[in-house]
Amino acid sequence: NAGVTQTPKFQVLKTGQSMTLQCAQDMNHNSMYWYRQDPGMGLRLIYYSASEGTTDKGEVPNGYNVSRLNKREFSLRLESAAPSQTSVYFCASRVSANQPQHFGDGTRLSIL
Amino acid sequence: KNEVEQSPQNLTAQEGEFITINCSYSVGISALHWLQQHPGGGIVSLFMLSSGKKKHGRLIATINIQEKHSSLHITASHPRDSAVYICAVPNSGGSNYKLTFGKGTLLTVNP
C-alpha cells in the first residue's frame, strides 16, 4: 500500500519551461490537494479537487493548472515556470472533508 | 479566512523533558489538525480533534473550542521527536475542504 505517490522527487527547470507534477493515491480517497511550502511560510493551497470531476482554486493558483485525471490521479502543471515558483510541492488526499489528509513525500522544484 | 498562530516558533529541549506547543486560531472550527514533518521529509498527520483530548503514545493533543486554542504535548521527549509540528484548521470555519496551516514549530531534542 503506497499511499500518496508524487513524481518526480526533484526537478530543476529553466525559466519559461513547462512541466507536470504527478500525484497518485491508492486509498480510494475522494479529495486531493496540491500545496506549496516555502521557508518561513505555512503550507499554502494551490488547487484542490473535492471529488472526481471537480477542481477549485486555492490560495495561490496563479501560474498553475490542474487535472483530476481520474479518482486516483491529480496532476499539477506549470505552463511557463518562473523563479517565484521555486518551492517544495506536496500532494495530499483524504477520503472526506472530515478525515485527516495523507501527504506524499514532496517534489523539490528549482527554477533558474 | 481563519488565522493560525503557533508558539513558540523554535523550541530546544533536553531528552526527557515535557514539551508543549501551542496553536491559536481566529474563527470557530469543527476540527483541528496536528501534523509532523521531519527535516527534509514528508508530512504525517498526528491528530484530528474537535473536542477534549486525544493521546497516541507519548503525544497528547488538547483543544479548547471556546478559547480557540489547542496544545500538543510530548511527554518524555526523545531526539527522534525532533521535527516541525504544524497546526491546521478549516479555512473559514465552515467547510473542511480547505485548511489554513500555521508556520510550524521547530522542535529540537538534544540527547
Side-chain angles (χ1 to χ4, degrees):
Chain A
N1 190 347
V4 179
T5 303
Q6 289 184 235
T7 54
K9 294 195 186 308
F10 302 94
Q11 185 72 48
V12 179
L13 293 177
K14 294 181 180 178
T15 298
Q17 287 186 314
S18 62
M19 81 161 295
T20 299
L21 307 186
Q22 307 286 353
C23 175
Q25 51 90 9
D26 61 2
M27 297 172 284
N28 202 34
H29 285 174
N30 292 306
S31 305
M32 297 187 73
Y33 303 79
W34 276 107
Y35 296 97
R36 60 179 288 174
Q37 186 178 43
D38 301 294
M41 307 190 74
L43 286 158
R44 292 184 293 167
L45 181 65
I46 304 171
Y47 272 93
Y48 72 105
S49 171
S51 60
E52 184 180 359
T54 69
T55 60
D56 280 292
K57 294 178 180 179
E59 187 181 350
V60 288
N62 291 344
Y64 305 95
N65 285 301
V66 290
S67 295
R68 183 76 183 265
L69 304 169
N70 47 55
K71 193 170 186 180
R72 290 186 63 249
E73 298 171 287
F74 188 39
S75 63
L76 178 72
R77 183 160 178 84
L78 286 70
E79 290 291 350
S80 179
S84 61
Q85 295 176 305
T86 293
S87 187
V88 181
Y89 291 85
F90 287 96
C91 176
S93 71
R94 57 177 168 176
V95 63
S96 70
N98 295 319
Q99 294 297 318
Q101 293 189 12
H102 295 252
F103 287 81
D105 289 337
T107 295
R108 191 171 295 274
L109 181 61
S110 293
I111 298 158
L112 308 177
Chain B
K1 180 185 169 182
N2 220 332
E3 302 292 333
V4 180
E5 292 288 334
Q6 283 187 238
S7 63
Q9 281 187 289
N10 295 282
L11 181 56
T12 300
Q14 289 299 121
E15 184 173 356
E17 286 186 0
F18 181 82
I19 304 294
T20 296
I21 299 170
N22 297 298
C23 175
S24 296
Y25 51 93
S26 58
V27 177
I29 59 170
S30 54
L32 178 143
H33 303 251
W34 280 104
L35 308 107
Q36 179 192 57
Q37 183 176 25
H38 284 284
I43 300 167
V44 176
S45 179
L46 296 175
F47 297 102
M48 179 176 170
L49 69 167
S50 55
S51 65
K53 180 165 76 172
K54 282 191 175 181
K55 185 171 188 279
H56 184 249
R58 295 179 294 103
L59 272 60
I60 303 165
T62 64
I63 189 167
N64 184 320
I65 296 293
Q66 289 73 30
E67 297 285 324
K68 298 187 180 65
H69 181 268
S70 176
S71 294
L72 177 67
H73 305 286
I74 304 175
T75 61
S77 59
H78 190 276
R80 65 174 174 267
D81 298 325
S82 298
V84 175
Y85 292 86
I86 302 168
C87 166
V89 298
N91 201 29
S92 59
S95 166
N96 279 329
Y97 278 115
K98 295 192 280 190
L99 297 177
T100 297
F101 294 80
K103 294 180 180 179
T105 294
L106 175 60
L107 172 65
T108 303
V109 182
N110 294 316

mmCIF file of all heavy atoms in Angstrom, chain B residues 2-20:
data_model
loop_
_atom_site.group_PDB
_atom_site.id
_atom_site.type_symbol
_atom_site.label_atom_id
_atom_site.label_comp_id
_atom_site.label_asym_id
_atom_site.label_seq_id
_atom_site.Cartn_x
_atom_site.Cartn_y
_atom_site.Cartn_z
ATOM 1 N N ASN B 2 -9.528 31.952 8.285
ATOM 2 C CA ASN B 2 -9.044 31.670 9.628
ATOM 3 C C ASN B 2 -7.549 31.992 9.738
ATOM 4 O O ASN B 2 -6.779 31.666 8.842
ATOM 5 C CB ASN B 2 -9.274 30.183 9.940
ATOM 6 C CG ASN B 2 -9.746 29.953 11.350
ATOM 7 O OD1 ASN B 2 -9.429 30.740 12.242
ATOM 8 N ND2 ASN B 2 -10.504 28.890 11.559
ATOM 9 N N GLU B 3 -7.177 32.665 10.807
ATOM 10 C CA GLU B 3 -5.776 32.962 11.058
ATOM 11 C C GLU B 3 -5.260 31.988 12.116
ATOM 12 O O GLU B 3 -5.940 31.740 13.123
ATOM 13 C CB GLU B 3 -5.611 34.400 11.564
ATOM 14 C CG GLU B 3 -6.142 35.466 10.617
ATOM 15 C CD GLU B 3 -5.335 35.565 9.335
ATOM 16 O OE1 GLU B 3 -4.140 35.228 9.364
ATOM 17 O OE2 GLU B 3 -5.915 35.963 8.296
ATOM 18 N N VAL B 4 -4.063 31.463 11.889
ATOM 19 C CA VAL B 4 -3.489 30.464 12.795
ATOM 20 C C VAL B 4 -2.144 30.979 13.305
ATOM 21 O O VAL B 4 -1.300 31.403 12.518
ATOM 22 C CB VAL B 4 -3.261 29.119 12.072
ATOM 23 C CG1 VAL B 4 -2.656 28.102 13.030
ATOM 24 C CG2 VAL B 4 -4.570 28.603 11.495
ATOM 25 N N GLU B 5 -1.985 30.956 14.610
ATOM 26 C CA GLU B 5 -0.731 31.356 15.226
ATOM 27 C C GLU B 5 -0.191 30.208 16.070
ATOM 28 O O GLU B 5 -0.914 29.662 16.909
ATOM 29 C CB GLU B 5 -0.932 32.587 16.126
ATOM 30 C CG GLU B 5 -1.280 33.853 15.388
ATOM 31 C CD GLU B 5 -0.096 34.413 14.611
ATOM 32 O OE1 GLU B 5 1.055 34.142 15.003
ATOM 33 O OE2 GLU B 5 -0.329 35.118 13.597
ATOM 34 N N GLN B 6 1.069 29.868 15.849
ATOM 35 C CA GLN B 6 1.704 28.830 16.651
ATOM 36 C C GLN B 6 2.803 29.451 17.500
ATOM 37 O O GLN B 6 3.488 30.387 17.067
ATOM 38 C CB GLN B 6 2.330 27.755 15.756
ATOM 39 C CG GLN B 6 1.344 26.794 15.163
ATOM 40 C CD GLN B 6 2.033 25.656 14.428
ATOM 41 O OE1 GLN B 6 1.814 25.456 13.254
ATOM 42 N NE2 GLN B 6 2.854 24.890 15.155
ATOM 43 N N SER B 7 2.990 28.895 18.677
ATOM 44 C CA SER B 7 4.105 29.319 19.529
ATOM 45 C C SER B 7 4.608 28.138 20.335
ATOM 46 O O SER B 7 3.831 27.238 20.691
ATOM 47 C CB SER B 7 3.639 30.449 20.461
ATOM 48 O OG SER B 7 2.629 29.979 21.338
ATOM 49 N N PRO B 8 5.919 28.105 20.602
ATOM 50 C CA PRO B 8 6.917 29.022 20.045
ATOM 51 C C PRO B 8 7.261 28.647 18.604
ATOM 52 O O PRO B 8 6.837 27.610 18.116
ATOM 53 C CB PRO B 8 8.123 28.787 20.966
ATOM 54 C CG PRO B 8 7.998 27.339 21.348
ATOM 55 C CD PRO B 8 6.527 27.077 21.478
ATOM 56 N N GLN B 9 8.019 29.496 17.938
ATOM 57 C CA GLN B 9 8.480 29.171 16.579
ATOM 58 C C GLN B 9 9.569 28.112 16.625
ATOM 59 O O GLN B 9 9.635 27.250 15.756
ATOM 60 C CB GLN B 9 9.047 30.424 15.911
ATOM 61 C CG GLN B 9 7.986 31.364 15.380
ATOM 62 C CD GLN B 9 8.616 32.491 14.585
ATOM 63 O OE1 GLN B 9 9.265 33.371 15.150
ATOM 64 N NE2 GLN B 9 8.451 32.456 13.282
ATOM 65 N N ASN B 10 10.450 28.240 17.616
ATOM 66 C CA ASN B 10 11.545 27.289 17.808
ATOM 67 C C ASN B 10 11.587 26.861 19.261
ATOM 68 O O ASN B 10 11.351 27.678 20.151
ATOM 69 C CB ASN B 10 12.890 27.933 17.433
ATOM 70 C CG ASN B 10 12.970 28.274 15.970
ATOM 71 O OD1 ASN B 10 13.187 27.418 15.137
ATOM 72 N ND2 ASN B 10 12.775 29.544 15.647
ATOM 73 N N LEU B 11 11.935 25.587 19.471
ATOM 74 C CA LEU B 11 11.977 25.056 20.818
ATOM 75 C C LEU B 11 13.096 24.035 20.901
ATOM 76 O O LEU B 11 13.146 23.109 20.092
ATOM 77 C CB LEU B 11 10.628 24.400 21.146
ATOM 78 C CG LEU B 11 10.414 23.785 22.521
ATOM 79 C CD1 LEU B 11 10.672 24.800 23.612
ATOM 80 C CD2 LEU B 11 8.992 23.246 22.631
ATOM 81 N N THR B 12 13.995 24.239 21.855
ATOM 82 C CA THR B 12 15.078 23.280 22.085
ATOM 83 C C THR B 12 14.904 22.687 23.467
ATOM 84 O O THR B 12 14.686 23.421 24.441
ATOM 85 C CB THR B 12 16.447 23.966 21.975
ATOM 86 O OG1 THR B 12 16.582 24.521 20.671
ATOM 87 C CG2 THR B 12 17.569 22.951 22.200
ATOM 88 N N ALA B 13 14.996 21.375 23.564
ATOM 89 C CA ALA B 13 14.775 20.687 24.830
ATOM 90 C C ALA B 13 15.835 19.610 25.026
ATOM 91 O O ALA B 13 16.484 19.169 24.073
ATOM 92 C CB ALA B 13 13.384 20.062 24.852
ATOM 93 N N GLN B 14 15.976 19.197 26.268
ATOM 94 C CA GLN B 14 16.832 18.067 26.582
ATOM 95 C C GLN B 14 15.980 16.805 26.612
ATOM 96 O O GLN B 14 14.799 16.845 26.991
ATOM 97 C CB GLN B 14 17.510 18.258 27.937
ATOM 98 C CG GLN B 14 18.586 19.334 27.948
ATOM 99 C CD GLN B 14 19.715 19.023 26.984
ATOM 100 O OE1 GLN B 14 19.995 19.805 26.076
ATOM 101 N NE2 GLN B 14 20.346 17.861 27.146
ATOM 102 N N GLU B 15 16.589 15.711 26.225
ATOM 103 C CA GLU B 15 15.891 14.433 26.230
ATOM 104 C C GLU B 15 15.224 14.193 27.580
ATOM 105 O O GLU B 15 15.831 14.420 28.637
ATOM 106 C CB GLU B 15 16.878 13.303 25.926
ATOM 107 C CG GLU B 15 16.237 11.941 25.820
ATOM 108 C CD GLU B 15 17.220 10.874 25.356
ATOM 109 O OE1 GLU B 15 18.384 11.205 25.051
ATOM 110 O OE2 GLU B 15 16.817 9.694 25.310
ATOM 111 N N GLY B 16 13.979 13.785 27.531
ATOM 112 C CA GLY B 16 13.238 13.507 28.753
ATOM 113 C C GLY B 16 12.324 14.621 29.198
ATOM 114 O O GLY B 16 11.427 14.394 30.025
ATOM 115 N N GLU B 17 12.508 15.827 28.658
ATOM 116 C CA GLU B 17 11.685 16.962 29.076
ATOM 117 C C GLU B 17 10.265 16.842 28.535
ATOM 118 O O GLU B 17 10.004 16.210 27.515
ATOM 119 C CB GLU B 17 12.306 18.274 28.607
ATOM 120 C CG GLU B 17 13.535 18.685 29.386
ATOM 121 C CD GLU B 17 14.047 20.055 28.992
ATOM 122 O OE1 GLU B 17 13.440 20.697 28.108
ATOM 123 O OE2 GLU B 17 15.055 20.498 29.567
ATOM 124 N N PHE B 18 9.344 17.515 29.205
ATOM 125 C CA PHE B 18 7.951 17.623 28.779
ATOM 126 C C PHE B 18 7.834 18.836 27.856
ATOM 127 O O PHE B 18 8.278 19.931 28.193
ATOM 128 C CB PHE B 18 7.062 17.790 30.015
ATOM 129 C CG PHE B 18 5.593 17.887 29.729
ATOM 130 C CD1 PHE B 18 4.841 16.743 29.520
ATOM 131 C CD2 PHE B 18 4.951 19.123 29.667
ATOM 132 C CE1 PHE B 18 3.477 16.818 29.264
ATOM 133 C CE2 PHE B 18 3.588 19.206 29.410
ATOM 134 C CZ PHE B 18 2.857 18.052 29.198
ATOM 135 N N ILE B 19 7.232 18.622 26.690
ATOM 136 C CA ILE B 19 7.166 19.659 25.647
ATOM 137 C C ILE B 19 5.715 20.114 25.470
ATOM 138 O O ILE B 19 4.802 19.274 25.459
ATOM 139 C CB ILE B 19 7.656 19.090 24.299
ATOM 140 C CG1 ILE B 19 9.060 18.513 24.418
ATOM 141 C CG2 ILE B 19 7.557 20.142 23.197
ATOM 142 C CD1 ILE B 19 10.115 19.524 24.700
ATOM 143 N N THR B 20 5.538 21.414 25.299
ATOM 144 C CA THR B 20 4.211 21.943 24.952
ATOM 145 C C THR B 20 4.343 22.896 23.778
ATOM 146 O O THR B 20 5.162 23.810 23.799
ATOM 147 C CB THR B 20 3.574 22.683 26.128
ATOM 148 O OG1 THR B 20 3.335 21.754 27.194
ATOM 149 C CG2 THR B 20 2.241 23.305 25.710
#
